């Protein structure tokens, strides 16, 4: 499925020199190539290769086309034969997770079911701070193991690239511990883990100072160390009443950008007006958007910021969904991620959540698949995943059905190779 990748291939070379593998035949091979990166997509726009095959070597794709033709032209290639009916797609990409955590917030969940809100629970000692305390108590090895286990669960669902945020350490030392745990988990994981520094998740309760002073402390003492140790090149901030104001966020985003980080924003989850902040600071993505209204959508449609819907958080909190249909109709991109975390999105099943969002928001299957593959790759600024084409990672997943529509319809799991 997700093979180890060496150097990029020489694209001008026409065939591999030996040692190549031919995977297939796939009843339907969906490359996700040549789809628009913004706006609506109909299922008819999907490039589906019938009886397709993938020729790959050292983890890179050489050719994607009819299996029999590839077999005739490459008689020396080792064949990885897929019996029966199969659909092949690029590995899914989860661009927003918090899977590095310790402890459980089942108590919070029960309180929410009894009527308390996420923000009320945070005020009475639950919420993010509860997870921070448990995560701080865990050793880097314990955290790496927990992160690895969460990544394995996603990998078995067909998620081969997973963004992972820190944000439950909330001190210089503890945030570095989390980022190192993510690095260790990545070394063992079959999925590729991409770290993001979310030290700006909330002001920790034991910090002696206000929100802006906490952000200044992070800018001066943590971010340079994250850079120096090459622990992440992405920085995230939670912009919300319970976390950081727009003005404080402006300071932080400007400083992070000056240091060369890509920035992303948790925005419009419970209230709105983060779209112009995201546009002004050229955030790669704005994630959540449950409360984004017409004005917010219009601002995003005129920017390059990628909207990321997190249906798992809507389900975990019993909240509204992000206006995915309206975003697409306005000409925005749309990515769907799990937000898997112990608080707002405890369920951790990307495909099921995407299928549910699709049903409520009337997304075409092509729009949902693009949101999990080719469009998701852009939210991580990656050109080598999310599309099955020459030069890209040989990162594909296979489902035991002859019709791609069955996958979202029945929420199938891939057969892991
Ligand atoms: O994306 N909104 C802020 N952060 C997470 C929740 C983290 C938590 O509750 O532990 C989210 O929903
Ligand atoms: Fe999140």
């Amino acid at each position: 499925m997700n093979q180890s990748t060496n150097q990029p291939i020489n694209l001008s070379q026409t065939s591999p020199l030996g040692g190549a593998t031919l995977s297939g035949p796939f009843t339907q091979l969906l490359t996700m190539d040549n789809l628009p990166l913004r706006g609506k997509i109909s299922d008819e726009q999907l490039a589906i290769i019938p009886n397709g095959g993938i020729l790959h070597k050292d983890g890179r794709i050489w050719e994607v086309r009819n299996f029999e033709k590839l077999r005739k032209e490459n008689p020396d290639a080792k064949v990885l034969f897929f019996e029966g009916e199969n659909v092949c797609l690029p590995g899914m990409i989860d661009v927003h997770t918090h899977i590095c955590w310790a402890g459980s917030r089942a108590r919070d969940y029960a309180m929410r079911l009894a009527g308390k809100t996420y923000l009320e629970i945070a005020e009475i000692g639950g919420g993010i701070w509860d997870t921070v305390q448990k995560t701080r108590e865990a050793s880097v090895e314990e955290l790496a193991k927990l992160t690895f286990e969460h990544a394995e669960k996603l990998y078995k669902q067909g998620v081969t690239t997973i963004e992972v945020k820190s944000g439950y350490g909330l001190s210089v030392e503890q945030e570095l511990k989390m980022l190192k745990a993510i690095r260790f988990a990545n070394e063992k994981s079959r999925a590729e883990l991409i770290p993001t520094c979310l030290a700006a998740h909330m002001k920790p309760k034991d910090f002696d100072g206000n929100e802006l002073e906490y952000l200044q402390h992070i800018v001066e003492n943590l971010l340079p160390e994250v850079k120096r140790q090459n622990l992440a090149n992405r920085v995230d901030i939670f912009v919300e009443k319970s976390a950081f104001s727009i003005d404080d966020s402006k300071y932080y985003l400007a400083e992070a950008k000056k240091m060369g980080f890509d920035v992303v924003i948790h925005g419009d989850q419970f209230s709105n007006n983060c779209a112009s902040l995201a546009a002004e600071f050229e955030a790669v993505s704005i994630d959540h958007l449950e409360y984004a209204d017409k004005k917010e959508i219009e601002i995003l449609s005129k920017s390059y910021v990628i909207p990321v819907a997190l249906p798992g958080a809507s389900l975990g909190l019993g909240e509204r969904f992000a206006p995915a249909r309206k975003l697409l109709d306005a000409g925005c991109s749309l990515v769907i991620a799990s937000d898997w975390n112990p608080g707002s999105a405890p369920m951790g099943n990307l495909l099921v959540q995407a299928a549910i969002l699709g049903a409520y928001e009337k997304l075409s299957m092509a729009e949902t698949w693009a949101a999990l593959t080719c469009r998701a790759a852009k939210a991580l600024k990656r050109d080598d995943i999310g599309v099955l084409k020459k030069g890209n990672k040989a990162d594909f997943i296979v489902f035991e059905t002859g019709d791609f529509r069955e996958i979202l319809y029945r929420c199938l799991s891939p057969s892991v190779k």
Side-chain angles (χ1 to χ4, degrees), residues 96-98 101 105 108 112 118 127-129 131-132 165 167-168 198 201 236-240 242-243 266-267 269-270 287-288 290 310 312-314 317 338-345:
H96 182 138
T97 83
H98 306 249
W101 88 81
R105 303 240 296 277
D108 285 16
R112 282 206 299 279
Y118 182 75
I128 296 171
W129 186 242
T131 302
V132 170
K165 298 177 196 297
Y168 294 126
L198 178 58
H201 204 178
D236 194 348
I237 184 164
F238 185 20
V239 188
E240 194 55 63
S242 62
H266 274 72
Q269 183 178 12
F270 300 110
D287 306 23
H288 272 295
E290 288 86 336
L310 305 171
S314 304
L317 297 176
S338 74
D339 195 19
W340 191 12
N341 72 70
S344 62

Side-chain angles (χ1 to χ4, degrees), residues 290 309-312 314-316 318-329 334 336 351-365 367-368 408 411:
E290 288 86 336
L310 305 171
S314 304
L315 294 166
E319 270 285 350
R320 59 169 81 171
F321 290 111
R325 179 73 268 149
K326 288 186 179 147
L327 284 158
L328 287 167
D329 288 347
L334 176 76
I336 304 172
L351 190 83
V352 172
Q353 291 161 8
I356 293 170
L357 180 74
Y360 275 88
E361 285 289 310
K362 305 280 177 265
L363 305 181
S364 71
M365 292 199 182
E367 286 166 341
T368 298
L408 285 169
C411 288

